Amino acid sequence: MTDIKQENENIPVNYEKLMREIMTIYYIDAKTARQNNKKVAWITSGGPVEPLIAMDIIPVYPENYGAMIGASKMGVDLCKKAEEMGYSSDLCSYARGDISCATVNGGPIGGLPKPDMLVCCNNICGTVLKWYEIQARYFKVPLFIFDTPIVHTEFTPEMKNYVQRQMIEYVQFLENATGRKMDWDRMKDVGKLSVEGQQLWQEVLDTTISRPSPMTAFDAFFFLALIVTLRGTSQTIDFYRGLRDEMRRRVSVGQGAIPHERYRLLWDNLPIWYRLKWLSKEFAKHDACLVADTYTSAWCGSLKYVDENDFIGSAAESYTRIYLNIGVDKMAEIVLSMIDKYGADGIVLHSNRSCKPYSFGQYDIQKIVERERGIPSLIIEADMCDERSFSEAQTQTRIDAFMEMIRTAKGGS
Amino acid sequence: MKHLEEYRRALADPLAYARNLKQETGKAVIGYTCSYAPEEVIMAAGAHPLRLFGTKKQIHLSDSHLQSYCCSVVRGILEEGLSRRADVLDGVIFPHTCDSMQRLSDMWRMNIPFGFHLDVTLPVKLDTESAKEYMIDVLKKFRDDISRKLNVEISDDALQKAVSTTNAIRQSIRTIYDLRSQYPHLLPGDDLYNIVRASMIMDRDQLAGMLAETVAELRELAIGAGPATEKRVLLAGGMCNQPDVYALIERAGGEIVWDDFCTGARYFDGQIDAGTDPMTGIAERLLKRVVCPAKHIDLDGRARHILQLAKDKKAAGVIFLLLKFCDPHAFDYPYLKEYLDEAGIPLMLVEIDDTLPAGGQMQTRFEAFLEMLEKEKP
């Protein structure tokens, strides 16, 4: 994702390199946890990680690992292996990749460290429930299910009560798993750090409001890893503060992420991990910058429900009302507001075979966007990790046609 | 047997049946999408609960809302709404189950102009005290919601009465399954299929009486009936929208002695304790009944259940019908197979889209599978 950036020799810090270093150290810590008498919890990407951080349990994200599998183009082999194990090729490719990877010595970074416990929050999908049941049977470790009812239209008092009670049960689960008590003062601090991290991540993403945009959604897909995995740590805050300042600096000197930004696009759904570079080039060729996306913003989208002074108390609402755990019409509203906020000229929707709750409803969102904002949209049929569901030639043709529509709509040549 | 034709007719066109019923009785017709729907509350509101199975006919409107990787049940249900074929419905309720059904609820609410729409956002986890309380809370909220939508009071008495009706229905179907499991020749498999599905379509009061008569007839027939010599097979999977499967298996030399479908034995599993507060009783049954893989009770209860069924019903093998794109069941299949393999029970996987593979292909596959099964030793 660096290829299409403008030349700039004066950047004091290389944030991509820095993030790779942070993630490397994080994975080394996780893989040596046992030697250091630390516990490892596998947790879903939308799950409440803060209690783990507060209790010194190392969170590990199979979904982040799924992204690594996809980006390193190991998806097809690992998915095939899962299919040999009896899993249908129609199932989520993150799940297939992780399930098969757990049984082999291989995959990126030589596999994930084994979990001491599993924490599954179903605010992102029902797939994680099945996936974590499978891993709980495989690793024979305790599983906590954090059940966040979908907020189709309203967040009811019944839901709030249920999720809030689970927050307490969750902490008790962790206390049982570690044999230690929660330090509630520490929890409070971690909660504050988490909120600050999310605010900074939002500020990073918001730098793309500027024209030209200092970064693309492809950069955001890359920089996302920290807010997912190390939310609630001061390291994350330092990193995103630096990154935000760097992006603001680029804005101040008019440095855009692509050479000639003429069109601004919004991306919907997970990235197509094995074609990030290719896609970013294809769009840049048309002077189109993907300035924002619904995916990376999901990790700061429910900030409005968080009370930083009562993180645990407000977590019921903030963790339940995340982007994917709401009705399609609510998702469409958010898409419309992002189109306005970032000044998008078109929307690109990745119809992702792996993610039914994210993808079903996209056609309706597309119609709403076309009706309410009259901007062109493009649907790319693909899969986030399984390259067998992607056709480069077909996608290229469709991108070209879509960009032609955008050009016409914008009255350009 | 006298009611078989009525069951068959109701199933042949559930919406026409509902239209008739509505005309004759003036009952509001409430569609629902999943076996976790609290039918008793709908009945206590004086309305008629109608399970939606989705159509297999003329699917074209839903293609502009759903991608190709969506299951045929969700696609078929949406089609019935978009085409207005289901406009007899005064409302539809969507109990929370899988990701696809979850989005179907949104699409229905956003696109279907007739009838009201209600979500029943049930817990996914069923094994904790807080989940139980939440289940009860959600059901109570549903009671309030539907009484508002239909503008009727729902009394505890009406709930008790509905509970005793559904308990009687569940007991009758269980008895029919039991009798048939003992003497498979008493009733062709597709009639069994018709009975259990008709019980999600027909007027429940009327049905309770009809089923009791069917039970009595079967009991009569069972006297002096000889043991079956066919190979005994258990069906498992999600929901079965394929009546032909029964006849095909029977023609291939097998007898279906039980199933684990939500449109089958899972539907009538468990009774409601009518003695307690009816809402708590309804909740407790939903928490304890055989679980749908989109919900969680424990890590391997479903496999243990299927193993136990195979043992109890003396099934020589299990045929697993996997609806294409049904994630929860597809995730369960490998571990179910592992458990069955360990117990030495052969398992056959059949992936079904909206239609069965054409011609004799399916029958040949069933024959090959049945061939290798051992006959039950008398």
PDB file of all heavy atoms in Angstrom, chain A residues 31-56:
ATOM      1  N   LYS A  31       3.342 -15.203  21.888  1.00  0.00           N
ATOM      2  CA  LYS A  31       3.841 -16.562  21.655  1.00  0.00           C
ATOM      3  C   LYS A  31       4.747 -17.060  22.777  1.00  0.00           C
ATOM      4  O   LYS A  31       4.993 -18.250  22.887  1.00  0.00           O
ATOM      5  CB  LYS A  31       4.558 -16.626  20.291  1.00  0.00           C
ATOM      6  CG  LYS A  31       3.567 -16.416  19.146  1.00  0.00           C
ATOM      7  CD  LYS A  31       4.124 -16.813  17.804  1.00  0.00           C
ATOM      8  CE  LYS A  31       4.202 -18.311  17.645  1.00  0.00           C
ATOM      9  NZ  LYS A  31       4.045 -18.783  16.279  1.00  0.00           N
ATOM     10  N   THR A  32       5.239 -16.127  23.585  1.00  0.00           N
ATOM     11  CA  THR A  32       6.082 -16.547  24.711  1.00  0.00           C
ATOM     12  C   THR A  32       5.343 -16.363  26.035  1.00  0.00           C
ATOM     13  O   THR A  32       5.960 -16.341  27.095  1.00  0.00           O
ATOM     14  CB  THR A  32       7.398 -15.740  24.741  1.00  0.00           C
ATOM     15  OG1 THR A  32       7.045 -14.338  24.750  1.00  0.00           O
ATOM     16  CG2 THR A  32       8.274 -16.035  23.551  1.00  0.00           C
ATOM     17  N   ALA A  33       4.043 -16.232  25.942  1.00  0.00           N
ATOM     18  CA  ALA A  33       3.250 -15.945  27.151  1.00  0.00           C
ATOM     19  C   ALA A  33       3.482 -16.994  28.236  1.00  0.00           C
ATOM     20  O   ALA A  33       3.632 -16.663  29.416  1.00  0.00           O
ATOM     21  CB  ALA A  33       1.761 -15.887  26.787  1.00  0.00           C
ATOM     22  N   ARG A  34       3.510 -18.247  27.822  1.00  0.00           N
ATOM     23  CA  ARG A  34       3.623 -19.314  28.819  1.00  0.00           C
ATOM     24  C   ARG A  34       4.933 -19.193  29.613  1.00  0.00           C
ATOM     25  O   ARG A  34       4.925 -19.337  30.833  1.00  0.00           O
ATOM     26  CB  ARG A  34       3.521 -20.672  28.136  1.00  0.00           C
ATOM     27  CG  ARG A  34       2.497 -21.519  28.832  1.00  0.00           C
ATOM     28  CD  ARG A  34       1.872 -22.615  28.024  1.00  0.00           C
ATOM     29  NE  ARG A  34       0.450 -22.349  27.908  1.00  0.00           N
ATOM     30  CZ  ARG A  34      -0.165 -22.167  26.779  1.00  0.00           C
ATOM     31  NH1 ARG A  34       0.500 -22.226  25.652  1.00  0.00           N
ATOM     32  NH2 ARG A  34      -1.449 -21.915  26.758  1.00  0.00           N
ATOM     33  N   GLN A  35       6.017 -18.912  28.911  1.00  0.00           N
ATOM     34  CA  GLN A  35       7.300 -18.750  29.602  1.00  0.00           C
ATOM     35  C   GLN A  35       7.228 -17.621  30.624  1.00  0.00           C
ATOM     36  O   GLN A  35       7.930 -17.621  31.608  1.00  0.00           O
ATOM     37  CB  GLN A  35       8.420 -18.434  28.606  1.00  0.00           C
ATOM     38  CG  GLN A  35       8.912 -19.628  27.817  1.00  0.00           C
ATOM     39  CD  GLN A  35       8.628 -19.466  26.343  1.00  0.00           C
ATOM     40  OE1 GLN A  35       7.487 -19.629  25.902  1.00  0.00           O
ATOM     41  NE2 GLN A  35       9.667 -19.131  25.562  1.00  0.00           N
ATOM     42  N   ASN A  36       6.391 -16.632  30.330  1.00  0.00           N
ATOM     43  CA  ASN A  36       6.306 -15.469  31.227  1.00  0.00           C
ATOM     44  C   ASN A  36       5.112 -15.549  32.172  1.00  0.00           C
ATOM     45  O   ASN A  36       4.703 -14.549  32.743  1.00  0.00           O
ATOM     46  CB  ASN A  36       6.219 -14.185  30.395  1.00  0.00           C
ATOM     47  CG  ASN A  36       7.431 -14.026  29.505  1.00  0.00           C
ATOM     48  OD1 ASN A  36       8.562 -14.248  29.945  1.00  0.00           O
ATOM     49  ND2 ASN A  36       7.212 -13.693  28.246  1.00  0.00           N
ATOM     50  N   ASN A  37       4.590 -16.759  32.298  1.00  0.00           N
ATOM     51  CA  ASN A  37       3.442 -16.971  33.192  1.00  0.00           C
ATOM     52  C   ASN A  37       2.252 -16.077  32.892  1.00  0.00           C
ATOM     53  O   ASN A  37       1.554 -15.635  33.799  1.00  0.00           O
ATOM     54  CB  ASN A  37       3.853 -16.767  34.654  1.00  0.00           C
ATOM     55  CG  ASN A  37       4.572 -17.985  35.177  1.00  0.00           C
ATOM     56  OD1 ASN A  37       4.211 -19.118  34.823  1.00  0.00           O
ATOM     57  ND2 ASN A  37       5.595 -17.768  35.970  1.00  0.00           N
ATOM     58  N   LYS A  38       2.070 -15.813  31.609  1.00  0.00           N
ATOM     59  CA  LYS A  38       0.896 -15.016  31.227  1.00  0.00           C
ATOM     60  C   LYS A  38      -0.112 -15.905  30.523  1.00  0.00           C
ATOM     61  O   LYS A  38       0.252 -16.889  29.882  1.00  0.00           O
ATOM     62  CB  LYS A  38       1.330 -13.878  30.302  1.00  0.00           C
ATOM     63  CG  LYS A  38       1.976 -12.728  31.061  1.00  0.00           C
ATOM     64  CD  LYS A  38       1.940 -11.487  30.211  1.00  0.00           C
ATOM     65  CE  LYS A  38       2.338 -10.258  31.003  1.00  0.00           C
ATOM     66  NZ  LYS A  38       2.167  -9.036  30.237  1.00  0.00           N
ATOM     67  N   LYS A  39      -1.369 -15.506  30.670  1.00  0.00           N
ATOM     68  CA  LYS A  39      -2.428 -16.262  30.009  1.00  0.00           C
ATOM     69  C   LYS A  39      -2.758 -15.607  28.661  1.00  0.00           C
ATOM     70  O   LYS A  39      -2.629 -14.393  28.496  1.00  0.00           O
ATOM     71  CB  LYS A  39      -3.690 -16.263  30.869  1.00  0.00           C
ATOM     72  CG  LYS A  39      -3.487 -16.895  32.234  1.00  0.00           C
ATOM     73  CD  LYS A  39      -3.864 -18.357  32.210  1.00  0.00           C
ATOM     74  CE  LYS A  39      -3.863 -18.933  33.617  1.00  0.00           C
ATOM     75  NZ  LYS A  39      -3.595 -20.379  33.596  1.00  0.00           N
ATOM     76  N   VAL A  40      -3.220 -16.437  27.748  1.00  0.00           N
ATOM     77  CA  VAL A  40      -3.623 -15.958  26.423  1.00  0.00           C
ATOM     78  C   VAL A  40      -5.123 -16.215  26.240  1.00  0.00           C
ATOM     79  O   VAL A  40      -5.604 -17.306  26.510  1.00  0.00           O
ATOM     80  CB  VAL A  40      -2.845 -16.697  25.313  1.00  0.00           C
ATOM     81  CG1 VAL A  40      -3.430 -16.399  23.939  1.00  0.00           C
ATOM     82  CG2 VAL A  40      -1.373 -16.320  25.363  1.00  0.00           C
ATOM     83  N   ALA A  41      -5.828 -15.170  25.835  1.00  0.00           N
ATOM     84  CA  ALA A  41      -7.244 -15.341  25.497  1.00  0.00           C
ATOM     85  C   ALA A  41      -7.425 -15.058  24.020  1.00  0.00           C
ATOM     86  O   ALA A  41      -6.946 -14.049  23.518  1.00  0.00           O
ATOM     87  CB  ALA A  41      -8.111 -14.389  26.317  1.00  0.00           C
ATOM     88  N   TRP A  42      -8.102 -15.954  23.331  1.00  0.00           N
ATOM     89  CA  TRP A  42      -8.524 -15.641  21.962  1.00  0.00           C
ATOM     90  C   TRP A  42      -9.846 -14.890  22.070  1.00  0.00           C
ATOM     91  O   TRP A  42     -10.729 -15.284  22.834  1.00  0.00           O
ATOM     92  CB  TRP A  42      -8.718 -16.917  21.150  1.00  0.00           C
ATOM     93  CG  TRP A  42      -7.434 -17.534  20.689  1.00  0.00           C
ATOM     94  CD1 TRP A  42      -6.178 -17.270  21.147  1.00  0.00           C
ATOM     95  CD2 TRP A  42      -7.288 -18.552  19.687  1.00  0.00           C
ATOM     96  NE1 TRP A  42      -5.256 -18.045  20.493  1.00  0.00           N
ATOM     97  CE2 TRP A  42      -5.912 -18.841  19.591  1.00  0.00           C
ATOM     98  CE3 TRP A  42      -8.176 -19.241  18.867  1.00  0.00           C
ATOM     99  CZ2 TRP A  42      -5.411 -19.808  18.699  1.00  0.00           C
ATOM    100  CZ3 TRP A  42      -7.679 -20.198  17.986  1.00  0.00           C
ATOM    101  CH2 TRP A  42      -6.312 -20.469  17.899  1.00  0.00           C
ATOM    102  N   ILE A  43      -9.946 -13.819  21.302  1.00  0.00           N
ATOM    103  CA  ILE A  43     -11.150 -12.989  21.390  1.00  0.00           C
ATOM    104  C   ILE A  43     -11.577 -12.528  20.008  1.00  0.00           C
ATOM    105  O   ILE A  43     -10.730 -12.316  19.122  1.00  0.00           O
ATOM    106  CB  ILE A  43     -10.923 -11.796  22.367  1.00  0.00           C
ATOM    107  CG1 ILE A  43     -12.190 -10.941  22.500  1.00  0.00           C
ATOM    108  CG2 ILE A  43      -9.724 -10.950  21.960  1.00  0.00           C
ATOM    109  CD1 ILE A  43     -12.139  -9.938  23.650  1.00  0.00           C
ATOM    110  N   THR A  44     -12.875 -12.372  19.821  1.00  0.00           N
ATOM    111  CA  THR A  44     -13.401 -11.913  18.531  1.00  0.00           C
ATOM    112  C   THR A  44     -13.128 -10.411  18.369  1.00  0.00           C
ATOM    113  O   THR A  44     -12.978  -9.689  19.356  1.00  0.00           O
ATOM    114  CB  THR A  44     -14.916 -12.147  18.447  1.00  0.00           C
ATOM    115  OG1 THR A  44     -15.533 -11.583  19.608  1.00  0.00           O
ATOM    116  CG2 THR A  44     -15.237 -13.623  18.396  1.00  0.00           C
ATOM    117  N   SER A  45     -13.119  -9.965  17.131  1.00  0.00           N
ATOM    118  CA  SER A  45     -12.669  -8.587  16.858  1.00  0.00           C
ATOM    119  C   SER A  45     -13.571  -7.540  17.489  1.00  0.00           C
ATOM    120  O   SER A  45     -13.121  -6.444  17.796  1.00  0.00           O
ATOM    121  CB  SER A  45     -12.591  -8.360  15.349  1.00  0.00           C
ATOM    122  OG  SER A  45     -13.887  -8.441  14.791  1.00  0.00           O
ATOM    123  N   GLY A  46     -14.847  -7.864  17.691  1.00  0.00           N
ATOM    124  CA  GLY A  46     -15.738  -6.864  18.269  1.00  0.00           C
ATOM    125  C   GLY A  46     -15.906  -7.039  19.769  1.00  0.00           C
ATOM    126  O   GLY A  46     -16.722  -6.366  20.387  1.00  0.00           O
ATOM    127  N   GLY A  47     -15.159  -7.942  20.360  1.00  0.00           N
ATOM    128  CA  GLY A  47     -15.343  -8.269  21.768  1.00  0.00           C
ATOM    129  C   GLY A  47     -14.720  -7.249  22.710  1.00  0.00           C
ATOM    130  O   GLY A  47     -13.809  -6.526  22.337  1.00  0.00           O
ATOM    131  N   PRO A  48     -15.218  -7.210  23.964  1.00  0.00           N
ATOM    132  CA  PRO A  48     -14.643  -6.278  24.939  1.00  0.00           C
ATOM    133  C   PRO A  48     -13.271  -6.765  25.405  1.00  0.00           C
ATOM    134  O   PRO A  48     -13.169  -7.689  26.208  1.00  0.00           O
ATOM    135  CB  PRO A  48     -15.649  -6.283  26.094  1.00  0.00           C
ATOM    136  CG  PRO A  48     -16.675  -7.305  25.775  1.00  0.00           C
ATOM    137  CD  PRO A  48     -16.330  -7.992  24.508  1.00  0.00           C
ATOM    138  N   VAL A  49     -12.248  -6.127  24.893  1.00  0.00           N
ATOM    139  CA  VAL A  49     -10.882  -6.549  25.195  1.00  0.00           C
ATOM    140  C   VAL A  49     -10.370  -5.908  26.491  1.00  0.00           C
ATOM    141  O   VAL A  49      -9.460  -6.418  27.139  1.00  0.00           O
ATOM    142  CB  VAL A  49      -9.954  -6.215  24.005  1.00  0.00           C
ATOM    143  CG1 VAL A  49      -9.873  -4.718  23.800  1.00  0.00           C
ATOM    144  CG2 VAL A  49      -8.584  -6.789  24.201  1.00  0.00           C
ATOM    145  N   GLU A  50     -10.986  -4.791  26.878  1.00  0.00           N
ATOM    146  CA  GLU A  50     -10.453  -4.009  27.995  1.00  0.00           C
ATOM    147  C   GLU A  50     -10.288  -4.811  29.284  1.00  0.00           C
ATOM    148  O   GLU A  50      -9.252  -4.688  29.950  1.00  0.00           O
ATOM    149  CB  GLU A  50     -11.317  -2.764  28.224  1.00  0.00           C
ATOM    150  CG  GLU A  50     -11.264  -1.735  27.081  1.00  0.00           C
ATOM    151  CD  GLU A  50     -12.175  -2.083  25.906  1.00  0.00           C
ATOM    152  OE1 GLU A  50     -12.865  -3.131  25.963  1.00  0.00           O
ATOM    153  OE2 GLU A  50     -12.193  -1.316  24.916  1.00  0.00           O
ATOM    154  N   PRO A  51     -11.250  -5.640  29.691  1.00  0.00           N
ATOM    155  CA  PRO A  51     -11.030  -6.433  30.911  1.00  0.00           C
ATOM    156  C   PRO A  51      -9.813  -7.357  30.806  1.00  0.00           C
ATOM    157  O   PRO A  51      -9.138  -7.613  31.797  1.00  0.00           O
ATOM    158  CB  PRO A  51     -12.331  -7.237  31.042  1.00  0.00           C
ATOM    159  CG  PRO A  51     -13.364  -6.390  30.372  1.00  0.00           C
ATOM    160  CD  PRO A  51     -12.636  -5.778  29.208  1.00  0.00           C
ATOM    161  N   LEU A  52      -9.520  -7.857  29.591  1.00  0.00           N
ATOM    162  CA  LEU A  52      -8.327  -8.702  29.424  1.00  0.00           C
ATOM    163  C   LEU A  52      -7.066  -7.894  29.684  1.00  0.00           C
ATOM    164  O   LEU A  52      -6.161  -8.332  30.396  1.00  0.00           O
ATOM    165  CB  LEU A  52      -8.283  -9.283  28.003  1.00  0.00           C
ATOM    166  CG  LEU A  52      -9.397 -10.230  27.574  1.00  0.00           C
ATOM    167  CD1 LEU A  52      -9.225 -10.616  26.108  1.00  0.00           C
ATOM    168  CD2 LEU A  52      -9.403 -11.476  28.442  1.00  0.00           C
ATOM    169  N   ILE A  53      -7.025  -6.696  29.086  1.00  0.00           N
ATOM    170  CA  ILE A  53      -5.850  -5.829  29.269  1.00  0.00           C
ATOM    171  C   ILE A  53      -5.684  -5.510  30.762  1.00  0.00           C
ATOM    172  O   ILE A  53      -4.581  -5.597  31.302  1.00  0.00           O
ATOM    173  CB  ILE A  53      -6.018  -4.509  28.472  1.00  0.00           C
ATOM    174  CG1 ILE A  53      -6.283  -4.804  26.985  1.00  0.00           C
ATOM    175  CG2 ILE A  53      -4.834  -3.575  28.683  1.00  0.00           C
ATOM    176  CD1 ILE A  53      -5.093  -5.007  26.116  1.00  0.00           C
ATOM    177  N   ALA A  54      -6.804  -5.193  31.410  1.00  0.00           N
ATOM    178  CA  ALA A  54      -6.746  -4.827  32.822  1.00  0.00           C
ATOM    179  C   ALA A  54      -6.281  -5.995  33.684  1.00  0.00           C
ATOM    180  O   ALA A  54      -5.737  -5.795  34.773  1.00  0.00           O
ATOM    181  CB  ALA A  54      -8.114  -4.335  33.296  1.00  0.00           C
ATOM    182  N   MET A  55      -6.496  -7.202  33.214  1.00  0.00           N
ATOM    183  CA  MET A  55      -6.079  -8.361  34.003  1.00  0.00           C
ATOM    184  C   MET A  55      -4.805  -9.001  33.485  1.00  0.00           C
ATOM    185  O   MET A  55      -4.474 -10.134  33.861  1.00  0.00           O
ATOM    186  CB  MET A  55      -7.210  -9.392  34.041  1.00  0.00           C
ATOM    187  CG  MET A  55      -8.397  -8.884  34.838  1.00  0.00           C
ATOM    188  SD  MET A  55      -9.610 -10.151  35.216  1.00  0.00           S
ATOM    189  CE  MET A  55      -8.755 -11.103  36.468  1.00  0.00           C
ATOM    190  N   ASP A  56      -4.101  -8.276  32.636  1.00  0.00           N
ATOM    191  CA  ASP A  56      -2.817  -8.762  32.127  1.00  0.00           C
ATOM    192  C   ASP A  56      -2.911 -10.067  31.356  1.00  0.00           C
ATOM    193  O   ASP A  56      -1.970 -10.855  31.341  1.00  0.00           O
ATOM    194  CB  ASP A  56      -1.820  -8.959  33.290  1.00  0.00           C
ATOM    195  CG  ASP A  56      -0.858  -7.798  33.354  1.00  0.00           C
ATOM    196  OD1 ASP A  56      -0.630  -7.180  32.292  1.00  0.00           O
ATOM    197  OD2 ASP A  56      -0.354  -7.498  34.453  1.00  0.00           O
TER     198      ASP A  56
END
